[in-house]
Every structure is written in C-alpha cells, then in structure tokens.
Amino acid sequence: LVVIQVLFFLIPVSKQLIVPCCSGETFMEVQLRLLKEKELKIRRALEKLKQKRSLLRRQRKKREFPIISVMGYTNCGKTTLIKALTGDSGLQPQDRLFATLDITAHAGFLPSRLTVLYVDTIGFLSQLPHDLIASFSATLEDVACSDIIVHVRDISHPETSLQKESVLSVLRNLSLPTQLLESILEVHNKVDLVDSYHSTEPDTIAVSALLGYGLDNLKEEIERAVLKRTGKNILTIQVNLSGPQLSWLYKEATVLEMDVNPEDGTASVEVIISNSVLGRYKRQFPLSRCSSMGKKNPD
C-alpha cells in the first residue's frame, strides 16, 4: 500500500516536470494523458487494497483476536521483537529503510495461552518529506482497530527522546480513541547496548528482543492490558463431560485449566472469555453454571 501511495504522490510532481518540446503542445498533451491514465490505475489499485484491508479488519474483529499494533522508528527492532514474541521463523528483520512496506499480522500466545495478533507497522523515518506525511499516516489507519499499542524505542539511539515525541505526535493526529492512546505500552529495546541501563521514565518495559531479555515480563504486561482493554473475563464454568460444552469452550474461548470430578462426570473449566462469547454460551447451554471466582479482568 505504501508503494502505491508514494507513486500516487509522485504523479503531480511528474506533471510539473513536463515541458513543451520542439514539436509543440501535442507531445506534452500525450504525456499528460498517459500520466492521467496511470493516476486512474493507481487510484483503482489503492481503492481495492483499502477494501481488502477493511475486509481483513472485519474478519479479525469477528474472530475476536485481540490486536496489538507494534510501532516505532525504522530499525528500532519492531520485527525482531514480534519474531521473539511469536516464534514466527518466517519473519526476517532487515536493517534498511522500508524493510516493511505494508502492515502485516502475526499470531502469538500470551502466558494464559490467549491468542493475539501482533501487527507490524511501517517504521517511522526522521525528516520525512512533508508531501509524504499524509501517505505515511494513511498506512497507520489499522492502528485505530487495535486493542493496545506497543511503542518500541531503540533506547541506544542518540535521538531516542525526539523519536518518542514524533511517534506520539503522529498518534495524536490520527484522532485515535482516548482509551487506545492511554493503553500504549512503552518498550525500551536494545538495553544490552546501553552501559548500566536504568530508565528514568515511569511505566516502561526494558527488553532486548535480540537476546530475549525481558520478554516474559513484557508478555505479562501485554496480557494485563489486553484483558482490561477488551473486557475479557477469567471465569470458571461447570460442564458435563458427556455433553458438547467442553469442546465448545475449546473452540470459542481460551481454556486455561480443567479440574475433573470423576464422581459425577463433570469438570470445572477455567477460561478466558469475552462478554459476547459468554452470552452465546449461556444461550446455547442455559443450565451450565459460571462463576468469576474473583478473577474478573484486572483494573
């Protein structure tokens, strides 16, 4: 998508560079017509991509996977961090500009075995040309559909503080929901490159995505934020082992653990479940008992 948007930006620039030649205006008119045709094709391709991405967003929401947008400057280690969190061997971080040319999603598991989608966004750039800011911001429209945002900072970079302000400024200009802006988790990456690292900023998480340092703590913080943001609950549900309830829960919710009572053929099943899925479960199995056991999503 970003490639198409950059090409779209370059068309008006190309038009300005066209000059009449010795043959008169005819050649110039041909050039302008070809550029207009190219502009129309790019507009159509851009619209098709937007429709496709809109469909993918609806599908992700329908399946109720929590969505975590991972943002930060180019070469801050976003892709390396996602690879470390998901174990996705297909991810190959590259040390170059625009290594990620479009938003990609990668499934991972939190400590409770809850499945989440990590969305790898396009890296920010210093001194981005003004005419490209709108196109770059448009590539971040998926962020508005996120449940939480993970802001990755290369804490070893000499301009890390300025980069932080730049990222936050762009996010504020995207008119994101206040709750989403408040859900940002700030991750200090590459702490292994800083001698005697000690954060002077509150509520930050120190990691080394390359070495694996701090990843367990980060996963716990992400899980805590996801449960709070999505309204998912940790419940204990009593099921009859001879019925379909257990297989239904494995399919539609996240089963944490199960305590079987062989005397009466029942089991106490601890699950992470959203309010909408819980409503469907109660309608399908109205006699099943549910209890929060004091483990509702954390405040």
Side-chain angles (χ1 to χ4, degrees), residues 1-11 38 42-43 45-46 49 53 96-103 122 132 135-136 138-139:
L1 178 58
V2 70
V3 175
I4 293 176
Q5 288 168 328
V6 170
L7 288 173
F8 188 69
F9 154 72
L10 291 176
I11 284 178
K38 183 177 291 186
I42 292 175
R43 282 183 183 274
L46 187 57
L49 276 176
R53 288 171 65 175
R96 61 181 176 85
L97 299 181
F98 293 125
T100 302
L101 284 175
D102 201 2
I103 288 177
I122 297 169
L132 284 178
S135 293
F136 173 76
T139 67

Side-chain angles (χ1 to χ4, degrees), residues 8 22 24 48 52 70-71 77 82 100 103 124 144 175 182 195 213 255 272-273 280 293:
F8 188 69
C22 57
K48 286 182 180 179
K52 179 182 177 182
V70 183
M71 307 184 65
I82 293 176
T100 302
I103 288 177
F124 283 66
S175 300
E182 293 175 349
D195 293 333
Y213 170 79
V255 176
I272 296 179
I273 191 168
R280 285 195 284 120
M293 303 293 290

Side-chain angles (χ1 to χ4, degrees), residues 73-74 126 154-161 163 189-190 194:
Y73 262 72
T74 295
S126 298
D154 176 358
I155 205 64
S156 69
H157 195 283
E159 296 182 349
T160 182
S161 296
Q163 291 180 347
N189 190 27
K190 304 186 183 182
V194 179

